[in-house]
Amino acid sequence: MSRAAPAPSSFFLEDIVRRKDRDPEGPEDDLAIVLRHWHDSEAAPPPPELANDPLNRALQPGEIGVSYMVTGQHEIAPESDYYLIDRSLQPGDLVKLNVHDVQSGVVLETNVEVKLEHAVSQVQYGGWVTASELENATDVYVGDYIIHNDWVGQVEELFDEAIAELTNKSLFCFAELGGRMQVGDRGPDILPEASLQHLAETTSAIPEVLVSVKPTVLAIAWLAVNQTLDAETAAAKKRPKQFWNADEFKELCIVRPRSILRVSDRVRFRDASLAEMHGVRNTRHGKVDMPGSELIESDILVVRETKTTVRILWQNGTITDNIPSTAVIPYANPDEYDCWPGDWVQWKGEDDSRAGVVTSVFADERTAEVYWRSSPTNPPKDGSKPPSFSIVSVLELDPHGSSTPSWDEPDAIGVRRGDFVLLHHEEATNGCVLPRVPKIGELEPWVRDTNPDGWRHEMAHIGMDYAQRYDAAKSHSPTPATQQGKLQQEADTRLVWKNPKEIAWFGEVTSLRTSGDIDIYLPSGETVAVPLKRLTLLMDGRDGLPGLWDEPIVIDGQQDAPAVQGEVISQVLGQFFGIHTSNGAGVEDLDEDMGSQGSWEDYDGDGDGMDVDGGDNYQELPPLVTIPEASTEDVSGSAPAAAVVPESSEEPASLNALPTPSSPHSPTTKHGDSENEVEDDLEGPWKKFKMLPSAPPDHAFLSKKVGQPTRQFMSRLAKEYKMLSTGLPDTIVVRAYEDRADLVRSLIIGPENTPYEGAPFVIDWHFEDTFPQTPPTAHFHSWTNGNGRVNPNLYEEGKVCLSILGTWAGDKAESWSPTRSSLMQALVSIQGLVLVKEPWFCEPAFEKLRGTHEGIVNSRLYSEKAYVLSRSFVRRALEYPPGSLQKEIEWLYLEQGKLAKVIADAKALIEASQKSSRAAVGGGGNEDIMRIIPGWEDKAVPKLTAGGILPLQRTLGKLEAILAEHRHE
């Protein structure tokens, strides 16, 4: 019985919801915010003090975790128990009309109305208030940008002074590092432990509510200098100091991202007349007769409910105004080729490249219209002028600059709404070639210091010293954290910052024009249109901090599922070791050959054939070519001779001391037709394992320094070679080298009924001197021409993401084991568990979406991309054969007919896809993506879009030319 597909998601993170069993018009106490959703990627584990929080258990499909606004209560419940009140969106967010739609849009503007209550008194005000009447009451956030003396920096840490009103209505002032406090916070836990102990020594009253919070010290990391300055002037601008106290804030300009109001934000009216018009009254706190205390007022309000409308630019270029945010859904998993009008892109053909701006996207066809802003790298030979606009496949567009963008990359393609940029002088440029934009943002070394006695400790001392300067009566407590800070004389006033009206060299990207110009919102409030070539992208300094992205994801105390699961590896290996090789020999179960403990010590490489019952899930790996039924003569031969390794030696063995393992006798296998005869003997080009005299010059690790390996290294390598010589499936070949025993090259042919069927995948391997204690290092030869990854686990820069190789954080059972793991295990894992039918789900976070409409659509789009890119791998391998494998590739594709089959299969898919699209004219949109060619339901690629067909047809033209030339010869 087939499993029912999960229902489409109703809610998303930060949605405002109310239970259906509550009064729809009831008090806002019933409102809750969605903090977790079952289909979202899980975050890092909670801190120990939150381990018992109800939200921390694993979610089942259809569940959400919410937090109630007023009470703070947490609960997990079915999302069907709630209805949506509002959806928080901000400019730059990506949305769709519904989960079934292919077309997406980008939010251009938001309009938010809010309901308010006083943060301290909790008096509620019933009417809706527009966001334009309010301002953020939080003086500064970690991450805000600061400008001083032509430098731009970023707030890394805050030191706050706060005033709490006690149950006896007196005031208690304290200080804390970290910026976690907000006016209106309630309960005894609002005080740090040390301050709470100090309070208990002086009074029986306990904290009731925070009535004032003010930053008194900032730690600022300075990122970049004004780019409009000439080099000499810029060099003379000294980097500002690290710590700043409240008396010095007037020298700083604060610049924070334009953002919308959210529930629980602290705000105030822009002027007193607006507050009076809405009936808002300030609260007064303190006792006149208390020494050292004054009455203070609080005008801070809390957003308790929101109502949001948005303006959306759709991919087809149309704009929708004033649409309720609840009428759209967040586009959580955009395709890597998704782009929108105004985006700068790099078009990458097989022999050409151009920069342009997207004017519209036809999402159902995966094509886009591009306004070209640069000349082709290879202009037309007839001298004709290239068109200014073209329809191209999005699979050939790079809107990002890298499939794995990182903080360390020197530049990016274009900019995005919400980016912060530095402007260059009108007569100057950023020095990059369009559409590239340089990145800037030097991360100061002190920011990376996590030592508790480091800069944060110094900052706390500065904060306490600042507070004590204003104390009427100093505390004699030896613990700095318990010392009572000043009772702020102007706690009800706003901090004074420098006016940013003259800053015209730094701003936020607000809009991307289809002309290519970029709208920049300056700190002064002015918006200017600037050419891309005059912009430099400021990198968020916090993005460069270590450990933010490379830590393993943990759920419920266990690391998230790796891209390749250990138990599946075991299953595939169990199947693999039961397969008969073409010479009638097989490999016994690995654990049996290695002894009861799985040790390599007793493995001698003997490979007597045996039948293994793979169970119901057993699937034999596909043969190299289709072989009609025929009898195979079983000729027994001697087992491979063990490699000669010196029993003792004064000096370590050299890397070229390993002899070539002899191979078992390989009988000729008849295919029933003399034209299809395959010989897998010592002279055959498709010998699955072969030792060659020297490593090829194009080997990725050839430049690695050759060390002096130990006897253990050489002995283990000999056993690895013997296993490879007898156990590889027909669709994997491996080449080792006499002059470099530390290097190996492998060729894996994509399995049948996957997007990779028939395509060559070349991976180079390097054995460090520490092998087998450490796994071999892999380098994948990606031939995608910079058009994205062909597989989530195979990176364009060569990384192979696999638990057994230590490049993915799997659990201990899936990691490399010196006694149980092998190179062959890694090879079979790549072929059987990476090059799969639905590679999109290799991303751990996406496995939850298997069976959902979103998962089906994204998986099919990814498989189409993988299929098109892997056809170009065939062309690349034939035009520029990798060293050590030229004869094998020519034999497979040209002599054995694999190339003709690749071409015929691709042309049949194109023809069927075009026929299906013509028959469905009028349907369009998502329906066309989901429509499958009749009879192709079980195919890995059941249909191609127009955007997939365009580059595939060009590749097929090249492949047909190669085949025609071969036949002519």
Side-chain angles (χ1 to χ4, degrees):
M1 183 174 66
S2 61
R3 183 181 64 177
S9 173
S10 301
F11 303 116
F12 297 85
L13 295 184
E14 298 189 5
D15 280 353
I16 307 302
V17 298
R18 176 181 278 128
R19 288 191 65 96
K20 291 180 178 179
D21 56 8
R22 310 284 177 90
D23 181 2
E25 301 300 327
E28 284 69 25
D29 294 11
D30 293 343
L31 293 180
I33 184 170
V34 177
L35 298 182
R36 292 183 62 200
H37 195 285
W38 67 270
H39 65 52
D40 291 314
S41 300
E42 299 289 0
E49 62 268 20
L50 299 179
N52 295 324
D53 191 309
L55 288 187
N56 289 330
R57 76 161 172 84
L59 298 184
Q60 300 301 314
E63 288 187 330
I64 57 174
V66 303
S67 174
Y68 286 91
M69 296 297 185
V70 176
T71 65
Q73 175 189 352
H74 290 175
E75 73 174 1
I76 291 175
E79 56 185 338
S80 58
D81 288 354
Y82 298 84
Y83 57 85
L84 182 63
I85 298 297
D86 195 32
R87 176 159 286 150
S88 179
L89 297 172
Q90 58 186 2
D93 283 351
L94 304 178
V95 295
K96 288 185 175 183
L97 283 174
N98 57 70
V99 72
H100 301 286
D101 205 2
V102 171
Q103 179 173 245
S104 60
V106 59
V107 176
L108 299 179
E109 298 174 8
T110 61
N111 180 41
V112 182
E113 294 180 281
V114 303
K115 288 184 177 181
L116 302 168
E117 74 175 27
H118 198 283
V120 180
S121 68
Q122 296 184 306
V123 172
Q124 297 185 354
Y125 306 99
W128 290 100
V129 178
T130 61
S132 60
E133 299 177 83
L134 304 167
E135 66 181 13
N136 198 314
T138 302
D139 294 294
V140 61
Y141 292 102
V142 170
D144 281 350
Y145 290 108
I146 302 293
I147 295 176
H148 174 71
N149 193 28
D150 284 311
W151 276 86
V152 57
Q154 197 166 28
V155 177
E156 293 294 336
E157 190 61 277
L158 306 173
F159 186 87
D160 287 332
E161 282 191 31
I163 300 175
E165 185 174 70
L166 307 182
T167 51
N168 64 3
K169 301 308 176 183
S170 63
L171 303 180
F172 178 77
C173 188
F174 64 98
E176 185 180 38
L177 184 70
R180 69 173 181 90
M181 300 178 293
Q182 296 189 92
V183 172
D185 288 349
R186 297 176 181 277
D189 59 347
I190 60 177
L191 264 64
E193 183 65 27
S195 295
L196 194 61
Q197 292 176 2
H198 175 65
L199 178 65
E201 295 171 359
T202 59
T203 178
S204 60
I206 61 174
E208 184 174 25
V209 61
L210 288 184
V211 296
S212 176
V213 177
K214 293 291 181 182
T216 56
V217 182
L218 302 181
I220 303 173
W222 298 99
L223 301 175
V225 73
N226 182 352
Q227 297 295 292
T228 63
L229 304 176
D230 60 69
E232 184 178 353
T233 304
K237 292 288 182 179
K238 186 178 179 181
R239 185 186 297 272
K241 64 181 182 178
Q242 177 180 357
F243 300 116
W244 296 73
N245 66 48
D247 292 339
E248 301 167 317
F249 289 175
K250 59 182 179 291
E251 302 175 33
L252 307 175
C253 294
I254 184 170
V255 180
R256 60 175 39 149
R258 296 193 313 156
S259 59
I260 68 167
L261 295 180
R262 302 174 186 269
V263 171
S264 78
D265 280 353
R266 268 53 173 179
V267 297
R268 58 162 60 97
F269 281 96
R270 291 187 179 275
D271 58 60
S273 63
L274 288 172
E276 184 177 356
M277 183 177 67
H278 286 278
V280 175
R281 297 290 183 268
N282 294 351
T283 57
R284 306 184 74 195
H285 308 275
K287 292 183 177 181
V288 176
D289 57 351
M290 179 180 177
S293 175
E294 294 118 20
L295 290 174
I296 64 172
E297 292 190 1
S298 175
D299 61 354
I300 308 300
L301 307 169
V302 177
V303 176
R304 59 186 174 90
E305 187 175 352
T306 59
K307 183 170 60 176
T308 308
T309 59
V310 292
R311 187 169 191 253
I312 299 173
L313 170 65
W314 301 103
Q315 285 181 302
N316 62 10
T318 62
I319 293 178
T320 303
D321 286 306
N322 296 321
I323 181 171
S325 64
T326 54
V328 297
I329 63 172
Y331 185 19
N333 299 303
D335 185 80
E336 63 182 307
Y337 300 104
D338 271 329
C339 47
W340 296 266
D343 283 354
W344 278 84
V345 293
Q346 184 86 39
W347 177 76
K348 296 180 179 180
E350 293 178 333
D351 305 304
D352 201 359
S353 177
R354 297 185 74 179
V357 180
V358 174
T359 59
S360 62
V361 179
F362 311 100
D364 56 326
E365 298 180 353
R366 299 190 90 182
T367 59
E369 182 185 63
V370 177
Y371 169 39
W372 300 113
R373 297 300 309 272
S374 72
S375 300
T377 52
N378 292 316
K381 295 182 180 179
D382 59 6
S384 60
K385 184 178 179 180
S388 298
F389 295 84
S390 298
I391 303 294
V392 300
S393 167
V394 297
L395 298 183
E396 296 178 300
L397 295 181
D398 184 358
H400 306 296
S402 171
S403 63
T404 54
S406 73
W407 194 86
D408 293 328
E409 292 177 358
D411 54 34
I413 289 183
V415 293
R416 300 290 178 268
R417 293 169 181 84
D419 285 346
F420 277 86
V421 294
L422 290 92
L423 284 67
H424 292 260
H425 196 273
E426 291 184 3
E427 288 78 31
T429 70
N430 57 26
C432 278
V433 177
L434 291 176
R436 296 274 171 182
V437 176
K439 299 177 183 178
I440 195 172
E442 179 185 355
L443 193 65
E444 296 186 72
W446 62 265
V447 179
R448 300 179 184 274
D449 182 12
T450 58
N451 183 355
D453 294 325
W455 63 270
R456 286 183 175 85
H457 185 74
E458 179 184 357
M459 182 179 181
H461 273 291
I462 294 174
M464 295 307 301
D465 289 343
Y466 178 79
Q468 290 171 4
R469 282 191 288 140
Y470 294 90
D471 264 342
K474 299 286 181 69
S475 168
H476 298 289
S477 172
T479 305
T482 67
Q483 293 193 15
Q484 180 177 334
K486 73 181 182 67
L487 193 61
Q488 297 160 318
Q489 298 180 6
E490 299 180 356
D492 58 326
T493 63
R494 308 173 191 184
L495 291 178
V496 177
W497 304 92
K498 187 176 181 179
N499 193 322
K501 64 180 181 179
E502 296 182 358
I503 298 174
W505 53 269
F506 176 72
E508 181 182 358
V509 175
T510 59
S511 183
L512 310 177
R513 303 187 182 189
T514 53
S515 65
D517 285 348
I518 313 297
D519 285 349
I520 309 297
Y521 181 78
L522 301 176
S524 63
E526 180 186 3
T527 298
V528 295
V530 181
L532 184 68
K533 64 182 180 181
R534 283 186 53 207
L535 300 179
T536 288
L537 181 63
L538 180 67
M539 294 303 297
D540 188 323
R542 300 180 64 80
D543 286 345
L545 294 178
L548 294 180
W549 308 113
D550 53 3
E551 294 295 326
I553 297 174
V554 180
I555 308 172
D556 299 324
Q558 295 183 349
Q559 289 178 349
D560 198 356
V564 178
Q565 296 284 359
E567 61 267 25
V568 183
I569 291 177
S570 301
Q571 180 185 25
V572 172
L573 286 173
Q575 297 169 4
F576 167 72
F577 287 121
I579 296 172
H580 287 284
T581 58
S582 59
N583 63 0
V587 179
E588 296 179 357
D589 182 88
L590 186 58
D591 284 346
E592 294 180 9
D593 268 342
M594 293 179 182
S596 60
Q597 300 301 318
S599 171
W600 276 88
E601 295 303 318
D602 299 326
Y603 180 70
D604 60 7
D606 291 345
D608 296 336
M610 63 176 292
D611 292 325
V612 177
D613 182 7
D616 295 335
N617 295 324
Y618 176 81
Q619 284 187 333
E620 186 170 317
L621 292 175
L624 180 63
V625 293
T626 302
I627 304 175
E629 291 186 7
S631 61
T632 302
E633 181 183 2
D634 186 5
V635 180
S636 61
S638 58
V644 177
V645 180
E647 295 185 3
S648 62
S649 176
E650 296 293 334
E651 298 293 332
S654 64
L655 281 178
N656 60 4
L658 183 65
T660 305
S662 59
S663 300
H665 178 67
S666 304
T668 299
T669 301
K670 298 292 183 180
H671 293 180
D673 188 328
S674 59
E675 293 182 1
N676 290 328
E677 181 174 302
V678 179
E679 292 187 5
D680 188 15
D681 56 17
L682 292 173
E683 304 300 327
W686 196 263
K687 185 172 178 56
K688 288 177 286 185
F689 178 83
K690 186 185 294 184
M691 180 75 76
L692 301 178
S694 59
D698 61 344
H699 196 287
F701 300 109
L702 188 67
S703 62
K704 284 279 187 179
K705 183 179 179 180
V706 180
Q708 288 293 330
T710 63
R711 285 187 64 252
Q712 181 191 21
F713 175 94
M714 300 304 293
S715 176
R716 172 59 180 272
L717 205 57
K719 295 175 182 179
E720 290 273 357
Y721 286 173
K722 284 182 284 185
M723 176 179 281
L724 294 170
S725 69
T726 60
L728 286 171
D730 289 339
T731 46
I732 299 179
V733 298
V734 173
R735 299 294 175 256
Y737 308 101
E738 294 177 6
D739 68 331
R740 289 292 298 270
D742 60 327
L743 304 183
V744 167
R745 169 162 285 179
S746 61
L747 169 64
I748 301 174
I749 303 301
E752 292 180 4
N753 199 25
T754 70
Y756 311 106
E757 179 173 346
F761 294 83
V762 176
I763 301 176
D764 288 343
W765 302 85
H766 176 246
F767 299 99
E768 298 281 356
D769 294 346
T770 52
F771 179 79
Q773 300 304 315
T774 57
T777 305
H779 178 90
F780 166 62
H781 287 265
S782 177
W783 298 326
T784 61
N785 194 35
N787 283 319
R789 295 186 210 170
V790 73
N791 182 281
N793 296 76
L794 303 175
Y795 289 45
E796 286 188 276
E797 64 268 26
K799 178 181 176 181
V800 178
C801 193
L802 207 61
S803 299
I804 193 174
L805 300 180
T807 49
W808 176 263
D811 64 34
K812 188 174 182 180
E814 296 158 353
S815 302
W816 176 267
S817 167
T819 60
R820 299 179 64 88
S821 304
S822 67
L823 175 59
M824 188 164 67
Q825 183 182 3
L827 290 168
V828 175
S829 296
I830 293 170
Q831 185 180 60
L833 299 171
V834 172
L835 303 177
V836 294
K837 184 177 181 180
E838 296 180 294
W840 189 74
F841 295 109
C842 286
E843 289 282 6
F846 296 159
E847 178 61 32
K848 295 180 180 180
L849 298 177
R850 189 181 292 275
T852 66
H853 193 281
E854 180 184 4
I856 293 171
V857 170
N858 284 328
S859 178
R860 288 183 182 171
L861 294 177
Y862 195 96
S863 292
E864 176 187 55
K865 180 270 295 266
Y867 179 80
V868 172
L869 289 178
S870 61
R871 300 313 92 186
S872 66
F873 278 34
V874 179
R875 175 197 169 190
R876 173 61 172 76
L878 288 166
E879 289 185 338
Y880 307 98
S884 307
L885 297 171
Q886 180 175 359
K887 292 181 180 179
E888 290 82 351
I889 288 173
E890 291 178 351
W891 176 86
L892 173 63
Y893 288 99
L894 300 178
E895 297 180 25
Q896 295 301 308
K898 179 66 76 173
L899 176 57
K901 185 177 186 304
V902 167
I903 294 172
D905 289 348
K907 294 179 75 172
L909 179 56
I910 290 174
E911 182 180 355
S913 299
Q914 291 174 330
K915 183 178 179 180
S916 174
S917 295
R918 287 193 297 268
V921 171
N926 187 71
E927 295 179 2
D928 191 50
I929 292 288
M930 293 300 293
R931 188 177 292 105
I932 297 176
I933 302 169
W936 293 56
E937 291 82 2
D938 294 330
K939 295 287 188 180
V941 184
K943 188 177 183 297
L944 293 175
T945 64
I949 291 173
L950 281 173
L952 181 58
Q953 285 178 324
R954 280 195 290 271
T955 297
L956 290 181
K958 301 289 186 179
L959 293 177
E960 287 178 315
I962 294 172
L963 183 60
E965 181 180 356
H966 170 71
R967 288 174 173 172
H968 177 72
E969 293 175 350

